[in-house]
C-alpha cells in the first residue's frame, strides 16, 4: 500500500471543518486590519529563494524541493511566502499605488526537514507583509496584530520573543567581533556551526546544540554594536508595545533562519508544544525588495505555522465542535421505492434541509442503524403501504415516536418537527 510521503499528512473531513473555521477567523482579523489577500504560485524560480532567503541558510542549502522541469527551468516548491510576495509586489508594480502595501497569504509551504511533532515537510502558513513603510509603528503593528489574532482565537499565555539584528552596517562590525570571539574555541562547535562561522556566523547564536550554546554564553552581543538609528528604532518599537501593554521578552540571541532580516525580529512561542514551539516568526526586511530587483523600499511581516496553531487550539480545547450530521435520513423500504427516496432527498434539499439517503435498499433494521450512526434527528421511512396513499412515516430518532406525513406537505411538517427537536 502506498502511504502519504514522509512529513506529509491528510486532513480528513472532521478536521477539515475545524481548519476551515480557523482559516475563516484568521481571514476576518487580517481583513479588519486592512490587509488584502494575495495568492502566489506554489512553485517559483529557484533563483528567487537563493537571492531572497540567502544561499547559506539551512532552508536553501538543505531543505528546498527543487527540480528541473521539462523545459529545463530550475524551479522550487516555495519554502516560505515572503520572497514570492515580494516578487509579485515588484512584478505587478504594487509600489506604484502610493502608500504602504498590505498583503496577506495562506497556504502550503514545503521544506525537507526532519519530521517530528509540529514539524512537517508540507505545512501551512498564514503570513502578513507590510511593504513600503519604515516607521517603527509598522514593526509594532505586526507584533500587535499577531498577538490580537491569537487572542481572538481564544489564546492567551503565549510568549513573544523580541530582538533586533541591526542593519548591514552595524551587523558587519559585530560579525567580525563574533567570529573573533568564537574562533579560538571553534573546535567545540558542532559541525554545522563550524561551517556557519565562516559563512553565516549569526546563526551560531541560536544553534540548539548544548556545546554551541555553552560557547555563545560569553560572546559579545549585537545590542552593544547597534548604530544610533537602529538603537532608536528598536527603542521606539518597545515603547509602542509598552504603550498598549503587549508583553514581550527581549532575547538578545534571537536571529532567525532567513537572511533577509534587518532590525526587528520576533517569534511567538507556545511552551506546551515541545521542541517545535514557535507558532509565529517574523521581522523587518528593508533590503529584500531591492535584492529581488525592485525599488529600494522597506518591509516588515510575519508568518504563522498553522499546524502548530491548530495543535495549540486543540490542546487548549478552543476548537468548536462541528457536526456533519444530516437533519433527515431517508429510508426506502424496497428496491422499487429507492427512486421515491431519491426524489424526496432532491425536494427536501431544494427546501434547504440537510439530507442523507441510503443508496442501496437494505432491511429496516440495517437502515435505522445507519440513520442512528449519521446522527440525524429524523428518519423518513418510505414503506409500500403508506406510499399507496402518498404518505411516508417520520420517526423521531431519540424518542422513537412516529407520525405519518403527506408527501405534499413533507417539507412543512419536517420543518415543524425539527424546530421542536432543536428547541428542546
Ligand atoms: P519561519 O520562521 O521560517 O519564517 O516560519 C514561520 C513559522 O512557520 C514558524 O514559526 C513555524 O510556526 C512555521 N514553520 C516553519 N517550518 C515549519 C515546518 N517544517 N513544519 C511546521 N511549521 C513550520 C518565515 O517563513 C518567514 N517568511 C516569516 C516572515 C514573513 N518574515 C517576514 N515576513
Amino acid at each position: 500500500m502506498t502511504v502519504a510521503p514522509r512529513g506529509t499528512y491528510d486532513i480528513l473531513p472532521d478536521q477539515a471543518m475545524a481548519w476551515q473555521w480557523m482559516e475563516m477567523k484568521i481571514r476576518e482579523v487580517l481583513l479588519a486590519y486592512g490587509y488584502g489577500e494575495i495568492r502566489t504560485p506554489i512553485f517559483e524560480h529557484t533563483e528567487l529563494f537563493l537571492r531572497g532567503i540567502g544561499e547559506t541558510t539551512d532552508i536553501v542549502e538543505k531543505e528546498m524541493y527543487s527540480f528541473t522541469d521539462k523545459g529545463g527551468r530550475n524551479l522550487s516548491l516555495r519554502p516560505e511566502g515572503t520572497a514570492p510576495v515580494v516578487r509579485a509586489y515588484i512584478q505587478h508594480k504594487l509600489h506604484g499605488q502610493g502608500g504602504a502595501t498590505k498583503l496577506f497569504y495562506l497556504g502550503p509551504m514545503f521544506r525537507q526537514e526532519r519530521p517530528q511533532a509540529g514539524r512537517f515537510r508540507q505545512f501551512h502558513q498564514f503570513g502578513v507583509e507590510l511593504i513600503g513603510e519604515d516607521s517603527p509603528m509598522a514593526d509594532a503593528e505586526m507584533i500587535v496584530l499577531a498577538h490580537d489574532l491569537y487572542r481572538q482565537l481564544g489564546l492567551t499565555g503565549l510568549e513573544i520573543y523580541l530582538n533586533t539584528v541591526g542593519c548591514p552596517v552595524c551587523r558587519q562590525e559585530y560579525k567580525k567581533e563574533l567570529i573573533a570571539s568564537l574562533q579560538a574555541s571553534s573546535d567545540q562547535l558542532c559541525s554545522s556551526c563550524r561551517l556557519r562561522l565562516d559563512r553565516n556566523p549569526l546563526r551560531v547564536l541560536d544553534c540548539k546544540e548544548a556545546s554551541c550554546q555553552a560557547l555563545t554564553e560569553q560572546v559579545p552581543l549585537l545590542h552593544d554594536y547597534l548604530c544610533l538609528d537602529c538603537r532608536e528604532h528598536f527603542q521606539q518599537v518597545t515603547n509602542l508595545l509598552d504603550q498598549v501593554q503587549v508583553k514581550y521578552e527581549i532575547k538578545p540571541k534571537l536571529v532567525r533562519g532567513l537572511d533577509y532580516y534587518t532590525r526587528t525580529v520576533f517569534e511567538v512561542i507556545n511552551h506546551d508544544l515541545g521542541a517545535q514551539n514557535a507558532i509565529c516568526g517574523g521581522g523587518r526586511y528593508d533590503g529584500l525588495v531591492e535584492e529581488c530587483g525592485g525599488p529600494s523600499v522597506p518591509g516588515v511581516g510575519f508568518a504563522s505555522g498553522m499546524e502548530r496553531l491548530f495543535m495549540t487550539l486543540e490542546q487548549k480545547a478552543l476548537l468548536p465542535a462541528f457536526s456533519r450530521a444530516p437533519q433527515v435520513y431517508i429510508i426506502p423500504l424496497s428496491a422499487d421505492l429507492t427512486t421515491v427516496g431519491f426524489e424526496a432527498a432532491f425536494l427536501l434539499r431544494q427546501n434547504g434541509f440537510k439530507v442523507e439517503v441510503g443508496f442501496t435498499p437494505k432491511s429496516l433494521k440495517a437502515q435505522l442503524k445507519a440513520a442512528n450512526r449519521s446522527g440525524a434527528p429524523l428518519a423518513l421511512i418510505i414503506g409500500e403501504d403508506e406510499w399507496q396513499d402518498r404518505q411516508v412515516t417520520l420517526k423521531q430518532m431519540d424518542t422513537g415516536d412516529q407520525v405519518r406525513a403527506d408527501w405534499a406537505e413533507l417539507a412543512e411538517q419536517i420543518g415543524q418537527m425539527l424546530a421542536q427537536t432543536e428547541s428542546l
Side-chain angles (χ1 to χ4, degrees):
M1 185 191 57
T2 311
V3 296
R6 188 164 146 76
T8 71
Y9 67 100
D10 303 301
I11 300 176
L12 299 176
D14 283 339
Q15 290 227 315
M17 293 178 87
W19 269 84
Q20 291 216 12
W21 173 84
M22 179 174 81
E23 289 163 7
M24 185 194 71
K25 289 290 215 189
I26 291 167
R27 283 202 165 88
E28 262 173 28
V29 178
L30 298 179
L31 290 169
Y33 271 76
Y35 290 80
E37 182 170 356
I38 181 165
R39 301 187 187 196
T40 64
I42 299 284
F43 58 87
E44 297 271 354
H45 291 286
T46 299
E47 191 204 312
L48 173 70
F49 300 116
L50 301 187
R51 280 230 239 162
I53 301 175
E55 292 190 39
T56 58
T57 56
D58 283 356
I59 295 180
V60 166
E61 279 194 334
K62 305 182 195 159
E63 297 167 5
M64 279 217 294
Y65 284 96
S66 300
F67 57 97
T68 310
D69 77 358
K70 293 194 170 59
R73 297 169 199 89
N74 291 322
L75 303 169
S76 294
L77 299 184
R78 61 182 186 193
E80 60 104 50
T82 310
V85 166
V86 164
R87 195 261 314 131
Y89 170 87
I90 299 166
Q91 183 175 337
H92 302 287
K93 299 193 170 46
L94 300 183
H95 44 92
Q97 298 173 358
T101 305
K102 298 167 80 174
L103 301 167
F104 81 87
Y105 52 91
L106 195 153
M109 307 289 161
F110 307 84
R111 297 183 193 175
Q112 193 169 355
E113 294 188 85
R114 195 168 51 78
Q116 62 182 95
R119 190 156 78 188
F120 304 90
R121 291 184 168 173
Q122 174 175 331
F123 60 100
H124 296 78
Q125 283 185 342
F126 75 86
V128 176
E129 312 295 349
L130 202 175
I131 308 177
E133 182 56 69
D134 59 10
S135 159
M137 231 164 97
D139 311 40
E141 171 160 308
M142 285 300 126
I143 298 164
V144 169
L145 167 52
H147 176 265
D148 191 18
L149 195 149
Y150 296 138
R151 187 191 58 82
Q152 293 201 41
L153 282 166
L155 289 173
T156 50
L158 299 173
E159 272 204 78
I160 298 171
Y161 289 173
L162 183 65
N163 192 22
T164 173
V165 292
C167 63
V169 179
C170 45
R171 205 156 47 204
Q172 203 50 38
E173 193 53 36
Y174 172 68
K175 271 187 193 166
K176 279 191 221 149
E177 294 296 324
L178 181 65
I179 294 171
S181 134
L182 287 169
Q183 212 129 41
S185 7
S186 65
D187 54 333
Q188 291 165 45
L189 290 170
C190 72
S191 55
S192 304
C193 282
R194 252 175 270 151
L195 288 174
R196 286 180 184 136
L197 194 55
D198 278 341
R199 310 178 65 191
N200 204 343
L202 257 66
R203 291 288 297 154
V204 177
L205 291 179
D206 71 354
C207 179
K208 302 285 178 285
E209 294 289 331
S211 57
C212 300
Q213 287 195 345
L215 274 188
T216 55
E217 285 289 308
Q218 314 93 14
V219 294
L221 293 177
L222 181 51
H223 280 246
D224 299 322
Y225 293 80
L226 291 177
C227 63
L228 202 61
D229 284 350
C230 286
R231 193 182 301 277
E232 177 78 357
H233 188 95
F234 191 60
Q235 184 65 51
Q236 288 188 38
V237 174
T238 55
N239 287 349
L240 286 161
L241 294 177
D242 294 340
Q243 180 80 21
V244 291
Q245 291 174 13
V246 168
K247 293 204 173 53
Y248 55 88
E249 194 180 323
I250 296 178
K251 291 275 180 191
K253 290 185 196 151
L254 176 70
V255 290
R256 314 250 318 117
L258 306 102
D259 277 356
Y260 47 62
Y261 291 112
T262 52
R263 297 189 166 171
T264 313
V265 289
F266 69 97
E267 287 183 352
V268 181
I269 308 291
N270 170 12
H271 288 291
D272 299 334
L273 279 184
Q276 302 304 315
N277 58 12
I279 63 168
C280 168
R284 180 163 277 287
Y285 46 86
D286 288 346
L288 181 60
V289 181
E290 197 172 11
E291 181 65 40
C292 294
S296 169
V297 290
V300 60
F302 71 83
S304 181
M306 292 172 68
E307 281 75 9
R308 293 183 196 176
L309 178 57
F310 193 88
M311 286 160 71
T312 305
L313 291 168
E314 227 172 12
Q315 226 174 40
K316 301 190 188 283
L318 288 167
L319 291 170
F322 293 98
S323 161
R324 287 187 296 124
Q327 293 168 299
V328 184
Y329 192 96
I330 299 177
I331 302 179
L333 286 185
S334 70
D336 289 348
L337 292 171
T338 50
T339 46
V340 181
F342 184 73
E343 192 185 347
F346 181 82
L347 290 174
L348 291 177
R349 283 173 178 148
Q350 293 226 311
N351 278 279
F353 294 108
K354 276 167 72 182
V355 177
E356 240 176 73
V357 58
F359 287 108
T360 42
K362 289 189 191 124
S363 70
L364 175 63
K365 195 169 159 213
Q367 294 200 71
L368 277 174
K369 228 175 171 179
N372 227 341
R373 249 196 329 264
S374 78
L378 273 188
L380 187 160
I381 304 167
I382 311 167
E384 295 287 354
D385 288 352
E386 304 100 300
W387 189 241
Q388 307 267 317
D389 306 328
R390 290 291 175 271
Q391 285 193 324
V392 297
T393 300
L394 292 174
K395 184 182 174 84
Q396 298 267 17
M397 293 301 290
D398 54 352
T399 59
D401 294 348
Q402 307 196 156
V403 289
R404 278 205 175 194
D406 285 327
W407 178 256
E409 286 159 16
L410 205 52
E412 205 183 325
Q413 189 151 352
I414 286 179
Q416 281 169 7
M417 287 177 78
L418 286 174
Q420 270 171 19
T421 329
E422 277 153 22
S423 68
L424 287 180

